[in-house]
Amino acid sequence: MSSIEIKDLHASVDGNEILRGLTLTVPKGEVHAIMGPNGSGKSTLAKVMAGHEDYQVSSGEVLLDGKNLLEMNVDARARAGLFLAFQYPAEIPGVSNANFLRAALQARLPEGEEIDAVAFYKQMYDRMDELGIDRKFTGRSVNEGFSGGEKKRNEILQMTMLEPKYAVLDETDSGLDIDALKVVAEGVNAMRSPERGFLVITHYQRLLDYIVPDHVHVLSGGRIIRSGDKGLALELEEKGYDWVKEEQLATT
Amino acid sequence: MTEGLLEGKSVKRSFFDAPEGVDGHLPHWYTEARTAAWKDYEEVPWPKRKHEAWRFADLKKLAFDDIVDAAEVDEAEGADLITRSVALEENAGRIIFANDRLIADPLLDAEFAQKGVIFKPLSQALVEDTDLVRLSFMQEPARLGSVKFAALHRARLRDGIFLYIPKDVSLSRSVEVFHWLSGENAAIFPHSLIVSGPGSSAAIAEYIASAGRQPGFCGGVTDLVAGENSRLTHVRTQNLSEQAHSLHVSSSLAADGANIRAFVLNLGCKWSRSESIARLSGEGAGTDMLAVCIPEDSQEMDMRTLQLHEKTHTTSNLLYKNALYDEARTIFAGLIMVEEGAQHTDAYQTCRNLLMSDQCEANSMPGLEINADQVKCSHGSTAGPITDDELFYLRARGIPESAARQLMTFGFVKGAVDGIGHDALEKVVLEKIDRRFRRILS
Ligand SMILES: Nc1ncnc2c1ncn2[C@@H]1O[C@H](COP(=O)(O)OP(=O)(O)OP(=O)(O)O)[C@@H](O)[C@H]1O
Ligand SMILES: [Mg+2]
């Protein structure tokens, strides 16, 4: 029950099936990594989980602690405890980072209850300091004119503020310099807890040196074709994806 | 009778009959021009849609046949309107009109009165400061189409304000003017003349609103005249009834090194038109022209602008933002004109329309006329809905769709409000915008 369970998920966009029977369980307290070639469906999986309307789910299930996510709308999924750090975060002109975070936290409170502004700002500044984000960013429009790395850090800031039960990080490492990578990894590691699960999508073994996963999965052609421990990531780095694909062909 | 009150009468395509004769106490130059203005009003033909200056305008909505001169409000209503005349937490002075008549004693802090600041009803200034008023009173022609209505204003004008800031005086708090329109089909013609001496600075806010929900007409004129190296900030909010009509003509004139910021918020009226002319007549002068329009239902908001660069090293920056709901329409026609010899000019013009429904309509007609060669100019207009990507991003953080839309729309228009550069005034404007969005969404 305390997990995100994806069961035989099929999803398509414009009539093209991208996810073809994907099954994966991420229990609370664990970090799972997904690796896979470009175009294999990693971001599609993330967006289908979050409820993006461009993708049609034809069959399968996604359960968050036993609750059917696919029946909920986008914002209800987030409030249920799912967080997606986008590969390409949108820019939101005119909405400041502070107002945005405040609205997101406010949306989680019961009707009639107001967020404590002083505590909110303190928490936000603390998190920003930890992530090495200049406090000036509170007044700037969300992601507008941010560098690639700044956007990724901002995603992690949102995650630390919203404290989700499950977080899907879609290539949060891409675009980060080595120092930023460490800072972001520390931010994620600080949030690791028996009460929280992570699904980390990446192309690079390097990230997994800092955020050490409990399991590594290879996504190819819209399904998980291989799972293993963190050693699998090293092997992939060495041999490339063709190696797993060939092995898979040999066994099926 | 002191004014030509012709209540109940209506004349096809003219609001009233000719204004009555001369008021004893007003200066001759003024009353003479007033009589001439009525003649002009009658002679200038009614606008036609095929005139460039009236393109896209729905002239059917510009029908004022039933309009009458506004009558004095009774004491109880006056008292009520005084209690509603609250905006800034702190001001340097305030004047309240209902139907172009004072309903409370004008206030100006003694501190500024002692420094020679004049802030008083125009009717009083015409007598007491007649030379000062005469120098700048309606000196700018209405170049953007409303010659007829500027003449009507001048002929029917009853009162307004005169603000004068002497040389090197800085008004550390803003002054405020409230104009209330009350009564079925009543017409008001508020006038503001604001003059800053060299090196001075001031900020002024004008709030034009209806007392109730009745139809009516407001034909206002605002003139800003900024002396050398002075700074003027002007905010006008229009929150007339959704049955009302409004036609406002504003001009600004900036001398050497002067800087003028003018912001307009349009919320009310079935039909409103706002013409704004910024003349940069001094070297190094600069202006910011800012506006926010939030029309809903079948409201039409028509904005015509001119950025007129006459001298070198002048800068103008126009940012208009419209958020349209339902079947609302906006029209934006903006011209940047750089005159011969106005080298090293920077002129920017941006009009953005956020389309909040499928039925709304945003028309943009940007224009450039450049007669100098060392010039930086750009203009652009955009129209589009909130994108799915933006909406998805906010919702993916748990913000419900309606709140997400509100947050983004508010953020969208806030971009123009930020340009006022005056925290207290921005706060007043944002509160009005916030109330507007709450009403639209409820
Ligand atoms: N909205 C969309 N419209 C059309 N095609 C799409 C859309 N979203 C995804 N696709 C297609 O689905 C496939 C999987 O895309 P996806 O973004 O999930 O890949 P990915 O594994 O995240 O790749 P990368 O490693 O490059 O990020 C690609 O072929 C892509 O072109
Ligand atoms: Mg991807």
Side-chain angles (χ1 to χ4, degrees):
Chain A
M1 279 287 276
S2 284
S3 62
I4 281 228
E5 272 182 276
I6 304 163
K7 293 189 206 163
D8 194 26
L9 188 64
H10 290 256
S12 53
V13 57
D14 298 334
N16 296 323
E17 193 171 57
I18 313 289
L19 301 183
R20 307 165 180 220
L22 190 144
T23 298
L24 177 69
T25 299
V26 181
K28 268 190 186 157
E30 294 188 3
V31 173
H32 289 226
I34 289 193
M35 304 180 84
N38 294 131
S40 57
K42 302 182 299 297
S43 294
T44 301
L45 170 65
K47 286 191 221 166
V48 167
M49 289 171 78
H52 199 290
E53 277 113 7
D54 283 356
Y55 303 87
Q56 296 86 42
V57 175
S58 50
S59 66
E61 273 187 320
V62 182
L63 305 175
L64 186 150
D65 295 343
K67 278 179 286 183
N68 185 352
L69 266 192
L70 300 180
E71 274 178 358
M72 298 182 206
N73 69 30
V74 181
D75 42 284
R77 293 181 197 201
R79 292 193 301 275
L82 181 71
F83 181 88
L84 166 59
F86 287 87
Q87 181 175 2
Y88 303 109
E91 300 191 359
I92 313 293
V95 180
S96 72
N97 255 331
N99 283 343
F100 174 63
L101 281 170
R102 212 172 145 153
L105 286 167
Q106 181 70 50
R108 286 161 170 78
L109 295 180
E111 187 79 30
E113 211 171 292
E114 280 286 323
I115 199 165
D116 174 353
V118 176
F120 163 73
Y121 270 95
K122 185 179 179 328
Q123 191 196 359
M124 182 171 59
Y125 286 143
D126 287 351
R127 296 289 174 275
M128 290 176 87
D129 294 350
E130 283 159 21
L131 290 168
I133 300 173
D134 193 308
R135 290 186 179 193
K136 281 206 269 305
F137 278 74
T138 49
R140 279 180 63 176
S141 294
V142 178
N143 297 332
E144 195 180 38
F146 286 25
S147 74
E150 286 165 350
K151 284 183 184 170
K152 295 304 176 78
R153 264 194 248 205
N154 206 30
E155 294 291 287
I156 297 305
L157 171 65
Q158 292 170 24
M159 180 182 76
T160 62
M161 291 294 288
L162 299 177
E163 301 179 338
K165 291 184 188 146
Y166 299 95
V168 180
L169 312 184
D170 191 357
E171 294 198 28
T172 299
D173 52 335
S174 65
L176 290 182
D177 63 45
I178 190 72
D179 295 332
L181 184 71
K182 284 184 196 167
V183 170
V184 162
E186 274 166 30
V188 172
N189 286 330
M191 288 197 66
R192 285 179 81 154
S193 98
E195 293 308 312
R196 191 169 286 129
F198 288 89
L199 189 58
V200 179
I201 297 169
T202 183
H203 284 291
Y204 303 106
Q205 151 64 24
R206 195 183 58 174
L207 175 70
L208 305 179
D209 285 341
Y210 298 105
I211 305 174
V212 181
D214 300 294
H215 296 275
V216 174
H217 309 275
V218 178
L219 175 59
S220 178
R223 49 163 51 152
I224 302 294
I225 58 165
R226 180 150 180 167
S227 298
D229 63 11
K230 62 180 194 250
L232 178 58
L234 284 167
E235 228 171 328
L236 282 169
E237 183 111 319
E238 221 174 277
K239 301 182 186 164
Y241 290 113
D242 286 344
W243 156 71
V244 218
K245 283 190 208 163
E246 278 159 24
E247 272 207 349
Q248 216 232 349
L249 278 177
T251 58
T252 50
Chain B
M1 248 190 337
T2 53
E3 292 277 303
L5 286 173
L6 290 151
E7 290 170 78
K9 265 199 180 177
S10 71
V11 179
K12 183 90 180 142
R13 295 213 159 166
S14 65
F15 298 65
F16 319 98
D17 290 335
E20 240 171 53
V22 177
D23 298 336
H25 58 290
L26 291 173
H28 192 63
W29 67 264
Y30 176 79
T31 51
E32 214 172 8
R34 186 171 71 176
T35 310
W38 182 256
K39 246 186 105 212
D40 288 347
Y41 168 66
E42 290 196 310
E43 280 167 13
V44 176
W46 195 258
K48 287 201 176 65
R49 204 173 176 184
K50 66 168 195 262
H51 296 162
E52 186 58 25
W54 291 85
R55 249 181 97 196
F56 293 114
D58 185 353
L59 287 167
K60 284 198 294 290
K61 285 192 178 151
L62 183 74
F64 308 118
D65 294 353
D66 299 326
I67 295 296
V68 295
D69 274 329
E72 199 170 343
V73 300
D74 65 32
E75 220 168 291
E77 187 180 6
D80 173 52
L81 292 176
I82 291 170
T83 64
R84 288 166 67 186
S85 300
V86 183
L88 286 168
E89 279 164 25
E90 273 193 321
N91 60 32
R94 64 112 180 86
I95 297 181
I96 311 174
F97 295 98
N99 288 353
D100 288 340
R101 292 159 178 89
L102 277 180
I103 53 170
D105 287 337
L107 298 178
L108 174 66
D109 286 359
E111 175 195 348
F112 300 113
Q114 274 156 18
K115 288 181 179 162
V117 172
I118 301 170
F119 179 54
K120 60 171 75 156
L122 183 68
S123 57
Q124 195 182 333
L126 276 168
V127 179
E128 296 171 1
D129 314 282
T130 190
D131 294 338
L132 216 43
V133 173
R134 188 178 187 176
L135 267 180
S136 311
F137 179 76
M138 291 198 79
Q139 293 299 303
E140 292 301 313
R143 302 167 202 240
L144 297 175
S146 285
V147 173
K148 186 177 181 74
F149 301 104
L152 176 71
H153 171 89
R154 187 165 192 166
R156 307 309 304 190
L157 156 60
R158 185 183 174 102
D159 216 339
I161 60 102
F162 178 56
L163 172 64
Y164 174 78
I165 317 292
K167 185 169 186 281
D168 295 329
V169 171
S170 134
L171 206 58
S172 50
R173 293 186 298 282
S174 310
V175 292
E176 296 181 284
V177 185
F178 295 84
H179 282 284
W180 294 99
L181 170 63
S182 174
E184 186 84 12
N185 292 324
I188 57 171
F189 298 91
H191 190 96
S192 296
L193 176 58
I194 296 147
V195 180
S196 58
S200 67
S201 76
I204 173 168
E206 283 179 66
Y207 316 106
I208 301 175
S210 290
R213 313 191 65 178
Q214 292 155 317
F217 177 74
C218 176
V221 167
T222 302
D223 283 325
L224 306 172
V225 182
E228 277 171 39
N229 299 313
S230 68
R231 304 179 66 82
L232 276 179
T233 302
H234 182 263
V235 167
R236 174 163 56 89
T237 65
Q238 182 272 107
N239 200 1
L240 292 159
S241 113
E242 59 268 38
Q243 300 295 318
H245 293 79
S246 153
L247 208 157
H248 204 102
V249 178
S250 321
S251 319
S252 73
L253 187 65
D256 289 356
N259 195 288
I260 299 179
R261 282 173 193 225
F263 175 89
V264 183
L265 174 66
N266 270 312
L267 300 177
C269 283
K270 174 187 268 179
W271 183 94
S272 71
R273 179 175 166 113
S274 176
E275 297 180 9
S276 301
I277 299 161
R279 240 184 94 191
L280 300 157
S281 61
E283 278 182 26
T287 190
D288 287 275
M289 301 169 81
L290 306 157
V292 169
C293 294
I294 310 174
E296 58 170 337
D297 297 328
S298 57
Q299 284 182 292
E300 176 170 312
M301 295 186 178
D302 187 345
M303 317 289 283
R304 314 269 163 163
T305 66
L306 173 63
Q307 294 153 266
L308 185 54
H309 292 257
E310 299 178 353
K311 291 283 162 62
T312 59
H313 297 284
T314 47
T315 306
S316 68
N317 226 318
L318 179 147
L319 180 60
Y320 276 33
K321 294 213 165 182
N322 306 323
L324 297 85
Y325 291 81
D326 309 321
E327 284 109 58
R329 291 182 87 220
T330 56
I331 300 156
F332 171 78
L335 179 64
I336 294 175
M337 182 123 102
V338 180
E339 294 198 340
E340 220 171 294
Q343 302 296 9
H344 307 289
T345 287
D346 284 0
Y348 305 101
Q349 181 194 91
T350 307
C351 175
R352 296 200 190 288
N353 293 281
L354 189 60
L355 310 177
M356 300 300 289
S357 83
D358 295 336
Q359 296 88 46
C360 61
E361 180 189 312
N363 303 281
S364 287
M365 292 175 283
L368 285 176
E369 209 178 301
I370 298 176
N371 301 305
D373 47 21
Q374 283 163 294
V375 166
K376 269 194 252 163
C377 267
S378 77
H379 65 73
S381 68
T382 57
I386 288 172
T387 69
D388 290 346
D389 280 351
E390 292 165 346
L391 198 57
F392 181 67
Y393 190 80
L394 270 76
R395 295 183 66 201
R397 297 298 176 253
I399 303 170
E401 181 167 346
S402 65
R405 284 186 187 280
Q406 192 183 355
L407 201 60
M408 277 185 283
T409 316
F410 196 81
F412 168 79
V413 297
K414 190 172 175 291
V417 179
D418 288 344
I420 299 172
H422 188 293
D423 289 348
L425 288 174
E426 285 175 19
K427 190 164 166 251
V428 167
V429 170
L430 290 173
E431 278 165 5
K432 287 179 189 291
I433 291 173
D434 191 48
R435 275 201 296 278
R436 173 70 162 187
F437 284 137
R438 280 171 204 275
R439 225 207 60 213
I440 288 176
L441 287 169
S442 67

